[in-house]
């Protein structure tokens, strides 16, 4: 990453133009770009042989590659990253795109989760990619926690927040639970819970469990850890990760192996395995972040790109994120401002509600 600006600075005008035109051609249609194509509308009169030499130099630098035996070139992941960081022109979303996103908010009386669901659908429709919306979790301090056994394979955790909000969440308890182990787990949590939000309690519990494994009854420990997994988003309600438009991405990639990898990606997402990491990705950056291919451990499986932006509440605290997944040849110049605009809109919506 650090050497990207240096490579760009060292390129002469001709190399820059060849590189830019190859990337823009690839992003526009997904096809390799050949030297003859470039010579037709190049800014200076040069031969195809000269262009080929420049393309070979760019390939040697690791910025372009030859996908098959064709003479055409496509950008490598490093080349795409350099283009995105140093050459892409990002403006504002078009009025049409803004209107489509704005229309999802609708009445202020609407349910927030319903609005976020519609935002995800609109974002998918506008970008023709797959959209992700990580919904906000309740971040008021917890006042009390209680576990209630419903059957041998069903239990309820009751969360009472300091602002009066109460959440009941179903989960599957570890085998062999007894009323005493559930009471012990609840007592253990309530001793730690004072003034902490769910996120803060998660960190405290993880630390305490590692420090006191020998002191905690093994079944109670399993119950606590089961609850931890639930709070990270694997419970049945409330849904924290909204995925819309997966068919856009599957239909956009023609090769069978790519389709299968993308199916696996969405199976993972819809099982909500990666919610915590997804929020960490958004939380680590200010504004829109772009992850291309294997730069992103979550989505490198499919060779896709992720454009993601956190949204904040009135206290400027990151509480969720919106993003778009698409093929690496996304129209980044258009997608980035749309994601940024959507994140700001959702942040304002949440802040006004609170």
């Amino acid at each position: 990453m650090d050497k990207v600006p240096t490579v760009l600075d060292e390129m002469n005008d001709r190399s820059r133009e060849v590189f830019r035109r190859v990337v823009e051609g690839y992003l526009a249609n997904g096809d390799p770009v050949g030297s003859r194509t470039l010579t037709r509308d190049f800014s200076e009169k040069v031969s195809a042989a000269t262009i080929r030499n420049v393309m070979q130099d760019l390939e040697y630098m690791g910025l372009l590659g030859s996908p098959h035996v064709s003479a055409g070139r496509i950008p490598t992941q490093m080349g795409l990253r350099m283009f995105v960081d140093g050459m892409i022109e990002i403006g504002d979303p078009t009025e049409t795109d803004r209107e489509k996103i704005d229309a999802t908010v609708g009445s202020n009386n609407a349910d927030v989760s319903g609005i976020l669901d519609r935002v995800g659908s609109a974002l998918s429709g506008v970008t023709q990619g797959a959209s992700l919306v990580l919904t906000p979790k309740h971040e008021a301090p917890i006042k009390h926690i209680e576990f209630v056994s419903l059957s041998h394979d069903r239990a309820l955790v009751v969360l009472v927040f300091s602002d009066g909000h109460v959440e009941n969440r179903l989960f599957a308890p570890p085998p062999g639970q007894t009323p005493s182990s559930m009471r012990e787990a609840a007592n253990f949590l309530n001793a730690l819970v004072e003034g902490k939000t769910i996120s803060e309690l998660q960190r405290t519990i993880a630390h305490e469990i590692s420090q006191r494994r020998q002191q905690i009854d093994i079944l109670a420990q399993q119950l606590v850890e089961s609850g931890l997994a639930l709070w990270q988003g694997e419970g049945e309600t409330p849904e924290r990760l909204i995925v819309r438009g997966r068919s856009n991405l599957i239909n956009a990639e023609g090769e069978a192996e790519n389709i299968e990898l993308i199916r696996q990606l969405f199976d993972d997402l819809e099982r909500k395995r990666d919610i915590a990491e997804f929020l960490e990705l958004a939380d680590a950056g200010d504004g829109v972040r772009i992850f291309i291919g294997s730069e992103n451990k979550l989505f490198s499986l499919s060779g896709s790109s992720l454009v993601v932006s956190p949204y904040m509440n009135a206290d400027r605290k990151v509480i969720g994120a919106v993003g778009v997944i698409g093929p690496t040849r996304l129209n980044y110049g258009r997608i980035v401002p749309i994601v940024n605009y959507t994140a700001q809109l959702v942040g304002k919506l949440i802040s006004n509600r609170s």
Side-chain angles (χ1 to χ4, degrees):
M1 288 287 293
D2 290 340
K3 70 176 184 178
V4 164
T6 305
V7 172
L8 194 58
D9 291 341
E10 290 177 353
M11 290 166 62
N12 60 32
D13 290 343
R14 180 181 293 170
S15 296
R16 280 171 179 257
E17 184 171 357
V18 169
F19 174 68
R20 179 176 57 77
R21 287 178 180 270
V22 170
V23 176
E24 288 176 347
Y26 170 74
L27 294 181
N29 54 43
D31 295 329
V33 179
S35 55
R36 293 191 182 279
T37 302
L38 294 179
T39 55
R40 283 198 291 267
D41 56 353
F42 208 72
S43 60
E44 57 177 313
K45 188 170 178 60
V46 291
S47 67
T50 300
I51 297 290
R52 278 197 297 274
N53 289 336
V54 174
M55 292 170 81
Q56 286 173 355
D57 290 341
L58 293 169
E59 188 169 4
Y60 178 77
M61 295 164 69
L63 302 178
L64 299 182
S66 303
H68 304 294
V69 292
S70 70
R73 302 294 199 282
I74 64 172
T76 61
Q77 180 175 306
M78 177 182 169
L80 277 176
R81 169 52 62 188
M82 189 175 85
F83 178 80
V84 166
D85 285 347
M87 303 182 79
I88 195 170
E89 294 181 4
I90 296 175
D92 296 320
T94 66
E95 186 175 345
T96 301
D97 289 339
R98 283 200 309 271
E99 287 174 353
K100 288 179 180 176
I101 300 295
D102 289 344
T104 61
V105 176
S107 169
N108 285 333
N109 298 323
D111 174 66
V112 171
S113 61
I115 291 174
L116 292 176
D117 187 29
R118 293 200 301 274
V119 165
S121 296
L123 193 56
S124 168
V126 167
T127 62
Q128 290 300 295
S131 69
L132 304 174
V133 179
L134 187 64
T135 67
K137 52 192 171 184
H138 201 80
E139 279 294 273
I142 302 169
K143 187 176 180 181
H144 184 75
I145 295 175
E146 188 173 343
F147 292 106
V148 180
S149 178
L150 302 177
S151 65
H152 73 282
D153 62 348
R154 303 294 272 174
L156 191 72
V157 57
V158 182
L159 301 173
V160 182
F161 294 86
S162 61
D163 62 359
H165 179 77
V166 178
E167 286 187 14
N168 300 317
R169 304 186 185 184
L170 289 169
F171 70 101
Q177 275 305 318
T178 64
S180 63
S181 68
M182 295 186 90
R183 280 196 302 273
E184 185 174 350
N187 291 338
F188 169 72
L189 289 171
N190 285 312
L192 301 173
V193 78
E194 184 180 359
K196 292 184 174 66
T197 64
I198 285 180
S199 299
E200 292 165 343
L201 183 60
Q202 284 178 21
R203 291 190 290 270
T204 302
I205 291 171
H207 176 73
E208 286 288 327
I209 287 176
S210 67
Q211 295 294 312
R212 297 171 55 188
R213 279 192 182 275
Q214 302 305 315
Q215 302 171 36
I216 303 172
D217 173 84
I218 187 65
L219 290 176
Q221 176 190 315
Q222 290 175 354
L223 183 59
V224 169
E225 290 176 338
S226 177
L228 268 178
L230 174 87
W231 294 328
Q232 288 176 344
E234 294 177 9
E236 294 180 8
T237 56
E239 183 182 55
R240 290 217 55 224
L241 185 66
I242 301 172
V243 181
R244 294 291 177 265
R246 94 184 239 177
S247 61
N248 286 337
L249 191 54
I250 291 175
N251 293 339
E253 298 287 348
E255 296 182 18
E257 60 268 29
N258 285 348
I259 291 176
E260 183 52 38
L261 289 172
I262 290 167
R263 287 190 204 281
Q264 292 177 35
L265 157 70
F266 279 99
D267 285 344
D268 280 351
L269 281 173
E270 289 171 3
R271 281 195 296 268
K272 302 176 177 66
R273 288 179 181 172
D274 298 320
I275 286 182
E277 289 94 333
F278 181 57
L279 185 55
E280 285 171 14
L281 286 177
D283 204 354
D286 216 4
V288 180
R289 302 190 73 198
I290 300 171
F291 298 90
I292 300 171
S294 61
E295 292 175 353
N296 178 4
K297 64 176 182 173
L298 293 190
F299 307 125
S300 61
L301 179 68
S302 68
S304 300
S305 287
L306 167 69
V307 180
V308 61
S309 178
Y311 60 85
M312 303 180 186
N313 61 14
D315 298 324
R316 303 294 296 164
K317 180 178 182 181
V318 172
I319 55 172
V322 298
V324 171
I325 301 177
T328 53
R329 61 179 192 86
L330 273 177
N331 183 346
Y332 296 96
R334 176 171 176 261
I335 302 297
V336 168
I338 290 174
V339 169
N340 183 50
Y341 181 79
T342 305
Q344 291 180 8
L345 186 70
V346 171
K348 288 175 185 174
L349 170 72
I350 301 298
S351 298
N352 292 340
R353 298 261 167 160
S354 60

